Amino acid sequence: ILLVCPDLPQHLRDRLLASLKAACPNYMKWTDSEALKEFYRFLALHFAWWNRYTASGKGAPSNVDPATLRKEGLRRPNTSTFTPHTSKEFQLHMEEYKRLEECFQDVFDWINKTLKEILPEEYDIIGQYADVLPAGGFSPAYPFSGFVINFNVCTRIH
């Protein structure tokens, strides 16, 4: 789904860059991407919950604990990898995450409200994963389970 919603209130829009600079001052810098050409790389921080390695369970008996299941000739799977966990960047940049969460809470709230209003069915579907994050996990970008911030990004128009 691509949704372009140009209705972000001006008072929120006006604070975006200043908030980003306040939350992560060391990552905002002037860059001549034209001079760097194809060598230009930008920093992207993924503050997300992952559940990448979950087995489907298709064909598995319903009355058996998944931790005890084995395919013949194979070792028992490491079921700890089945648990959702935060991204490496999330763990390494916890202070930045906290500052970004605080700085952008009004924007996250607006996105939440707007999505719920204009795409109610999709909103419910997207939020299902964020609703069951382990250990009381919470995403400030609900209904999404996380958010990504790209610093000094430069892309070609396409």
Side-chain angles (χ1 to χ4, degrees):
I1 295 174
L2 170 64
L3 175 65
V4 177
C5 191
D7 300 333
L8 182 67
Q10 193 63 44
H11 73 280
L12 294 177
R13 190 181 309 244
D14 291 343
R15 295 191 333 233
L16 288 174
L17 184 58
S19 293
L20 190 56
K21 286 180 178 179
C24 301
N26 296 332
Y27 301 141
M28 300 295 294
K29 60 184 178 194
W30 187 89
T31 304
D32 184 356
S33 59
E34 181 63 28
L36 295 171
K37 304 226 183 268
E38 68 271 7
F39 301 105
Y40 180 68
R41 300 288 182 264
F42 60 89
L43 175 66
L45 296 180
H46 296 78
F47 297 106
W49 287 83
W50 299 104
N51 195 18
R52 180 176 298 181
Y53 301 108
T54 298
S56 73
K58 186 176 181 181
S62 61
N63 61 345
V64 177
D65 183 341
T68 65
L69 287 176
R70 293 184 201 171
K71 287 187 177 180
E72 195 166 322
L74 297 176
R75 293 183 304 146
R76 184 180 65 198
N78 179 0
T79 55
S80 69
T81 63
F82 295 174
T83 305
H85 56 281
T86 55
S87 64
K88 181 179 179 181
E89 291 154 345
F90 196 141
Q91 296 166 26
L92 292 174
H93 300 279
M94 187 56 70
E95 288 304 313
E96 290 90 340
Y97 169 79
K98 290 176 185 176
R99 289 192 302 263
L100 288 165
E101 177 184 18
E102 184 178 331
C103 286
F104 291 114
Q105 192 57 58
D106 290 343
V107 174
F108 292 145
D109 291 344
W110 180 86
I111 292 170
N112 182 328
K113 178 180 154 275
T114 302
L115 282 175
K116 190 172 189 174
E117 182 180 306
I118 62 178
L119 296 171
E121 291 178 28
E122 292 83 352
Y123 175 92
D124 289 340
I125 292 168
I126 294 168
Q128 289 175 2
Y129 182 67
D131 287 338
V132 294
L133 294 175
F138 169 77
S139 171
Y142 189 90
F144 303 104
S145 60
F147 62 96
V148 177
I149 300 287
N150 296 319
F151 294 93
N152 304 311
V153 66
C154 178
T155 62
R156 291 191 176 112
I157 297 174
H158 55 273

